[in-house]
Amino acid sequence: MNREQIMGILPHRDHMLLLDDAEGREGVAVGHYTVRGDEFFLKGHFPGSPIVPGVILCEILAQSACVLMEDALTEGMLPVYTGLNQVKFRSPVRPGDTIETRCSIKRAKRPFYFAEGTVSVGGRLCVSAEFSFCITKAHTD
């Protein structure tokens, strides 16, 4: 699915939608994002030697996992992180890199989902993690 289709599942917009494309097949979500270099999170991290922050890589991973829960992410529902475990940052991600995520849902006790996944660039492992989130109703102001 492309960005427009992803926006039909995820509530993220503007600078926080961090997937260019994603697909879910046989219980595995695969997503991609190309780091352009002009993203807000690179401006100060680090001047002269930009590296994508680890927390942003974890966010990209979680967003790609949500493709597997398309049915639960109906109008007015939000996927909210509840935990990150066993996170390992193995290699930096820089402007020009195309990130590939691979994740799977290991267990679900609705509304909670428990997943694991990886972030790679060109076959080089950059991040591995276990994570969980809850599908909850959005609060409107």
Side-chain angles (χ1 to χ4, degrees), residues 75-95:
E75 183 76 26
M77 301 304 284
L78 293 174
V80 179
Y81 255 130
T82 57
L84 281 164
N85 299 305
Q86 302 299 319
V87 180
K88 305 275 191 233
F89 299 104
R90 302 177 186 277
S91 186
V93 176
R94 300 181 184 283

Side-chain angles (χ1 to χ4, degrees), residues 3 12-18 33 36 38-41 56 63:
R3 280 181 71 85
H12 303 73
R13 295 295 181 266
D14 301 325
H15 304 298
M16 283 308 296
L17 180 60
L18 299 170
Y33 180 75
R36 299 178 314 274
D38 63 349
E39 289 89 351
F40 74 94
F41 48 81
I56 295 294
Q63 286 184 22

Side-chain angles (χ1 to χ4, degrees), residues 15-19 31-36 39-42 45-46 50-65 81 84 87-95 97-103 116-121 124-131:
H15 304 298
M16 283 308 296
L17 180 60
L18 299 170
L19 287 173
H32 298 97
Y33 180 75
T34 298
V35 183
R36 299 178 314 274
E39 289 89 351
F40 74 94
F41 48 81
L42 292 174
H45 197 265
F46 299 99
I51 297 173
V52 178
V55 68
I56 295 294
L57 296 173
C58 291
E59 177 64 24
I60 294 169
L61 191 59
Q63 286 184 22
S64 64
Y81 255 130
L84 281 164
V87 180
K88 305 275 191 233
F89 299 104
R90 302 177 186 277
S91 186
V93 176
R94 300 181 184 283
D97 287 346
T98 297
I99 294 167
E100 179 174 278
T101 62
R102 293 183 134 336
C103 20
E116 65 182 18
T118 60
V119 173
S120 300
V121 171
R124 172 178 44 95
L125 181 62
C126 299
V127 179
S128 60
E130 296 173 359
F131 52 100

Side-chain angles (χ1 to χ4, degrees), residues 27-29 61-62 65-66 68-69 79-85 102-117 129-135:
V28 177
L61 191 59
C66 288
L68 297 173
M69 295 167 302
V80 179
Y81 255 130
T82 57
L84 281 164
N85 299 305
R102 293 183 134 336
C103 20
S104 58
I105 304 298
K106 294 317 225 177
R107 173 169 78 88
K109 186 173 181 179
R110 293 180 183 232
F112 296 97
Y113 293 81
F114 303 86
E116 65 182 18
E130 296 173 359
F131 52 100
S132 59
F133 42 97
C134 177
I135 306 296

